[in-house]
Amino acid sequence: MTRSTRIRRAALASGAVAALAATLFTTAGAYAGTTPKAAPDIDVKAVKGDLDQFQSIADANGGNRAHGKPGYKASIDFVKEKLDKAGFTTKVQEFDGGGTKGYNLVADWPGGDESKTVMAGAHLDSVPAGPGINDNGSGSAGILEVALAVAKADLKPTKHLRFGWWGDEEDGMVGSQAYVDKLGADKSKIDSYLNFDMIGSPNPGYFVYDDDTRLEKVFKDWYAKKNIATEKETEGDGRSDHAAFKDAGVPVGGLFSGADYKKTEKQAKDWGGEAGKAFDACYHQACDTSKNIDDKALDTNTDAIAGALWELSS
Ligand code: DPN
Ligand code: ZN
């Protein structure tokens, strides 16, 4: 070895030490809380446990959890109790749904900048024909478990976090419209609204709302990292609770795993499952029970909700 080679090697080695020191320094910074922690994996067993509770509520109340029926209010009470115990500030908002009293549940996680509120929502009512486990126990339980994970992590987001469970969606998004109407000028404080309606469909697809490019990208990037093909959510345009927010000028996003229309050959190729069949053959029927769920779609989509909320509120 020549003298100059020896010097070059020594310089390389000291460079490596400096790089290592820099890595350790940033790692220490992360532990000190300067870098937001990654979103946790949401346990799908907990989400399914909530779906079993919704099923039991329907079983005990004439087979449904529909607006104006006792199974709906029992669903509100179940979700509210969990959130209250976890430290959320909850409010039940009453509204008129076709001459019958309806209820929205709104849960705020204390802290964060309320003039930039990141909001996630799902409709909690079923149709009168059945228990509404995929539609929309799935979205309701998904955001519930993400909310509980926020509490468990004692998340201190920069932006304020709020969760909403809407009543009377099935008669034309009545509860979410009532909420937005009541917001008035405060609607400018909603930084983003994410909607989750049917996220565990049995012949699933991975549809991402395409209404707002920034919010669409957050989800698309999340699925891309998992090598899951997504598709723009266009067929359901205006068919769920994001409509009222969008009409009010709030940026909206969300997820959907399919309802009454049929999977194409391309979609079956991208996602597996059966082309020519409805994503959810039990859509709006009595058979939308706790068996009417694809566990992998439910698991993946719930993790995606956590990923998006962690990122958007940080
Ligand atoms: N809004 C859903 C329902 O409750 O019936 C169905 C749906 C959601 C359809 C999203 C398309 C897109
Ligand atoms: Zn429905």
Side-chain angles (χ1 to χ4, degrees), residues 64-297:
N64 69 66
R65 302 181 302 104
H67 166 66
K69 300 284 194 319
Y72 181 71
K73 188 57 171 40
S75 302
I76 286 272
D77 295 344
F78 165 72
V79 176
K80 184 177 184 294
E81 195 188 328
K82 285 201 156 193
L83 293 162
D84 287 336
K85 275 196 186 136
F88 279 83
T89 306
T90 61
K91 249 179 246 146
V92 175
Q93 181 184 56
E94 295 184 0
F95 62 87
D96 174 66
T100 305
K101 194 182 278 182
Y103 307 91
N104 292 325
L105 172 64
V106 179
D108 283 273
W109 180 241
D113 180 356
E114 288 189 33
S115 72
K116 292 188 181 74
T117 296
V118 174
M119 196 168 179
H123 77 82
L124 185 58
D125 62 318
S126 73
V127 288
I133 300 304
N134 186 37
D135 179 16
N136 184 32
S138 62
S140 293
I143 65 167
L144 172 59
E145 289 304 323
V146 172
L148 298 178
V150 165
K152 197 172 169 201
D154 197 19
L155 196 67
K156 305 227 180 324
T158 307
K159 294 179 183 170
H160 183 68
L161 270 173
R162 181 177 297 153
F163 296 83
W165 286 262
W166 312 123
D168 205 11
E169 187 268 355
E170 297 291 4
D171 293 315
M173 292 95 76
V174 183
S176 53
Q177 186 66 58
Y179 176 80
V180 172
D181 288 347
K182 223 177 159 199
L183 265 182
D186 281 351
K187 68 188 182 193
S188 66
K189 296 180 181 167
I190 312 290
D191 167 271
S192 38
Y193 172 75
L194 304 179
N195 194 61
F196 304 98
D197 187 358
M198 305 182 71
I199 61 165
S201 304
N203 182 26
Y206 293 87
F207 296 97
V208 175
Y209 291 15
D210 65 348
D211 306 78
D212 178 273
T213 45
R214 175 178 69 101
L215 300 175
E216 183 185 21
K217 190 175 182 307
V218 169
F219 283 116
K220 276 176 69 179
D221 290 352
W222 190 93
Y223 289 97
K225 273 194 206 130
K226 305 237 173 242
N227 287 314
I228 296 171
T230 56
E231 193 167 316
K232 279 178 183 293
E233 205 327 65
T234 47
E235 239 164 303
D237 258 357
R239 277 180 69 185
S240 193
D241 297 295
H242 55 298
F245 290 86
K246 188 178 177 178
D247 291 348
V250 174
V252 302
L255 301 175
F256 175 55
S257 57
D260 46 355
Y261 52 95
K262 293 175 178 159
K263 199 180 257 186
T264 64
E265 291 291 342
K266 181 177 184 307
Q267 290 168 336
K269 216 176 133 223
D270 284 349
W271 299 319
E274 292 185 70
K277 280 208 167 169
F279 289 91
D280 181 354
C282 287
Y283 177 62
H284 282 185
Q285 295 180 47
C287 60
D288 185 10
T289 65
S290 48
K291 292 194 180 73
N292 188 45
I293 287 290
D294 183 279
D295 289 5
K296 188 171 167 256

